[in-house]
Amino acid sequence: MSLSTAAGDELLRRLIIQEASFLTTREKRMLQAAGVTARELAAFSTADFSKIIPRVLKARCSWKGKNAYEKAHTATCIIARLSICYTFYDDADFPAMLREMPDPPYVLFYRGNLGCLQQPCVSVVGTRRATAGGRSSAAAFSREAAENGCTVVSGLAYGIDVAAHKGALQAVRGATAALLASGIDTITPASHTPVARSIVERGGCILSEYTPGTPAQAFRFIQRDRLIAALSPATVVVQAPSGSGALLTAAFAL
């Protein structure tokens, strides 16, 4: 992806805003509309943020502007080198279902066909320690859902998730979308990279709300789960023992 100087500067500015994780998406959009430059954001204090949003930020909301600037600059290089696509909350192609969330992402990074999320979607989740029967059921359901024109949404994790993606990929029509808990430049787990490649090649997409270069961490899987639930009007849970992340996804769906 080749960015013009103006487009590159605007992307850098928005990616720095993205790094202000203590702000809501509504507040990030207010900061965006204020027209603060990338260099100015790098020099911001928490008091400067409070003048714009307006909300008095707590002392623990530390802001390391220089680090945010450097991370955003690195991300723009990764985006250009790997031809990563992105859509911000105020863009026309931002998934409509996510606008219904109380805490929607400010930006989504993706590869593949984002338009597959405009089709009817169904989320399929479950335990990573699935039985053979559970994996078979997830694959069969997902294959049939895709054959009926649905996009199957899951998290590309071990067990039920990857079985759902593989099942949807067996369908003649339909597609599947995978939400990542890391930057989109890193597939987690790495062994599922071939599945991710097939998802993109077959008209689906892989997505992440995290800036390229961001590693997968435990709390990001929980944040990712809310997006899996939000992208579909229905969430199907296959094998989820007590304490399973899949049950958390179900709670988000409710």
Side-chain angles (χ1 to χ4, degrees):
M1 179 185 298
S2 178
L3 294 172
S4 66
T5 301
D9 290 346
E10 177 60 12
L11 176 60
L12 177 64
R13 187 174 77 95
R14 291 195 182 200
L15 291 183
I16 296 172
I17 293 173
Q18 164 73 352
E19 289 306 302
S21 58
F22 48 85
L23 300 181
T24 66
T25 290
R26 177 176 175 273
E27 290 169 342
K28 288 177 181 179
R29 293 179 67 205
M30 293 173 67
L31 188 60
Q32 174 187 314
V36 184
T37 68
R39 292 290 183 183
E40 289 170 338
L41 284 167
F44 254 36
S45 66
T46 52
D48 292 323
F49 283 107
S50 296
K51 293 174 184 177
I52 294 174
I53 39 180
R55 172 169 64 93
V56 177
L57 297 172
K58 296 179 180 179
R60 69 172 181 271
C61 296
S62 60
W63 170 249
K64 297 180 180 179
K66 182 179 179 181
N67 291 349
Y69 185 97
E70 292 175 351
K71 182 177 180 180
H73 182 269
T74 299
T76 61
C77 295
I78 296 173
I79 288 169
R81 177 167 52 87
L82 300 181
S83 297
I84 294 170
C85 301
Y86 50 87
T87 179
F88 285 87
Y89 182 89
D90 53 354
D91 289 333
D93 61 350
F94 190 86
M97 288 288 290
L98 296 187
R99 297 185 193 277
E100 305 297 322
M101 297 176 64
D103 59 340
Y106 175 63
V107 59
L108 284 175
F109 303 92
Y110 68 94
R111 284 175 163 173
N113 174 29
L114 189 66
C116 72
L117 296 175
Q118 296 178 5
Q119 304 300 318
C121 294
V122 58
S123 296
V124 181
V125 296
T127 179
R128 287 171 169 78
R129 297 180 178 85
T131 63
R135 293 193 298 272
S136 177
S137 294
F141 174 85
S142 299
R143 182 173 60 253
E144 185 170 350
E147 289 286 9
N148 280 278
C150 289
T151 294
V152 175
V153 180
S154 196
L156 201 62
Y158 290 113
I160 296 301
D161 284 20
V162 73
H165 291 305
K166 288 180 177 179
L169 289 170
Q170 293 172 4
V172 175
R173 57 181 300 203
T176 181
L179 272 295
L180 305 182
S182 63
I184 202 166
D185 54 311
T186 305
I187 301 299
T188 303
S191 59
H192 291 171
T193 299
V195 178
R197 187 180 302 114
S198 295
I199 289 173
V200 172
E201 292 173 348
R202 291 289 305 277
C205 66
I206 56 175
L207 310 94
S208 175
E209 67 176 320
Y210 299 111
T211 305
T214 302
Q217 291 182 277
F219 74 92
R220 294 195 175 106
F221 286 92
I222 297 174
Q223 292 181 335
R224 182 273 310 272
D225 289 345
R226 84 192 198 287
L227 299 186
I228 293 176
L231 278 170
S232 304
T235 296
V236 177
V237 181
V238 183
Q239 282 194 326
S242 177
S244 170
L247 291 183
L248 183 59
T249 307
F252 284 130
L254 290 173

